[in-house]
C-alpha cells in the first residue's frame, strides 16, 4: 500500500478578498460541507483536511483527490454567491488555483470607430 498525500491550494486572490467581495472563511466552510469522500458529503474524516491561512485555502488529502473537482466546487460557490460574472478560476501552477477578476478591455470603443 502506497502512502499518498496531495496538497491543492486555492488563493482567494488579494484583490477580491481585500475588496470584501469574497469571504475566505465562508468559502472554506462551503468546501468542508460539499467535498465528497466515498460518494458522501460530510465524510471528510482524517482523509481530507481543509485549512484556511489568510486569503489562502489549503486542501490536504491522504487519498487520491482531483484538482479539477476543487475547481468545479469553486465555480459552484461563485455561482451561488453571484460572483461568477466577475471572478474566474485560473491555475497558477500545478497545485494552485487563483481567483482573478475578468479582464475587461477598454479598447472596445476604439474598435468601433
Amino acid at each position: 500500500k502506497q502512502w499518498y498525500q496531495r496538497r491543492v491550494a486555492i488563493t482567494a486572490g488579494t484583490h477580491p478578498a481585500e475588496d470584501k467581495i469574497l469571504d475566505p472563511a465562508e468559502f472554506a466552510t462551503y468546501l468542508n460541507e460539499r467535498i465528497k469522500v466515498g460518494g458522501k458529503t460530510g465524510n471528510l474524516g482524517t482523509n481530507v483536511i481543509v485549512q484556511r491561512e489568510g486569503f489562502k485555502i489549503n486542501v490536504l488529502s491522504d487519498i487520491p483527490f482531483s484538482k479539477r473537482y476543487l475547481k468545479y466546487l469553486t465555480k459552484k460557490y461563485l455561482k451561488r454567491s453571484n460572483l461568477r460574472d466577475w471572478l474566474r478560476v485560473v491555475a497558477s501552477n500545478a497545485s494552485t488555483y487563483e481567483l482573478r477578476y475578468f479582464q475587461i478591455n477598454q479598447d472596445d470603443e476604439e474598435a468601433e470607430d
Side-chain angles (χ1 to χ4, degrees):
K1 195 174 187 182
Q2 278 188 329
W3 187 78
Y4 183 88
Q5 184 173 16
R6 174 147 191 191
R7 166 180 250 156
V8 180
I10 300 176
T11 305
T14 54
H15 297 294
E18 285 175 358
D19 294 345
K20 306 245 189 271
I21 290 178
L22 181 77
D23 183 20
E26 183 182 330
F27 181 48
T29 305
Y30 177 84
L31 289 177
N32 261 327
E33 295 170 354
R34 300 294 172 122
I35 291 177
K36 287 186 178 183
V37 176
K40 297 178 182 176
T41 56
N43 190 23
L44 297 181
T46 58
N47 295 328
V48 179
I49 300 168
V50 178
Q51 300 173 333
R52 184 175 68 92
E53 300 170 4
F55 299 138
K56 189 173 186 178
I57 297 168
N58 291 321
V59 179
L60 301 169
S61 175
D62 292 337
I63 57 175
F65 190 80
S66 171
K67 181 180 165 193
R68 180 82 184 145
Y69 178 58
L70 207 54
K71 183 176 183 177
Y72 165 77
L73 287 175
T74 303
K75 285 179 162 184
K76 204 169 177 183
Y77 174 78
L78 292 174
K79 183 70 175 175
R80 190 188 97 188
S81 302
N82 296 323
L83 297 173
R84 188 78 179 98
D85 295 335
W86 292 281
L87 295 175
R88 64 185 181 140
V89 184
V90 179
S92 54
N93 65 35
S95 64
T96 305
Y97 279 122
E98 188 174 332
L99 299 177
R100 295 185 186 165
Y101 287 115
F102 279 110
Q103 293 291 333
I104 300 171
N105 293 333
Q106 300 294 333
D107 300 333
D108 293 338
E109 295 175 8
E110 296 174 9
E112 292 176 2
D113 292 337

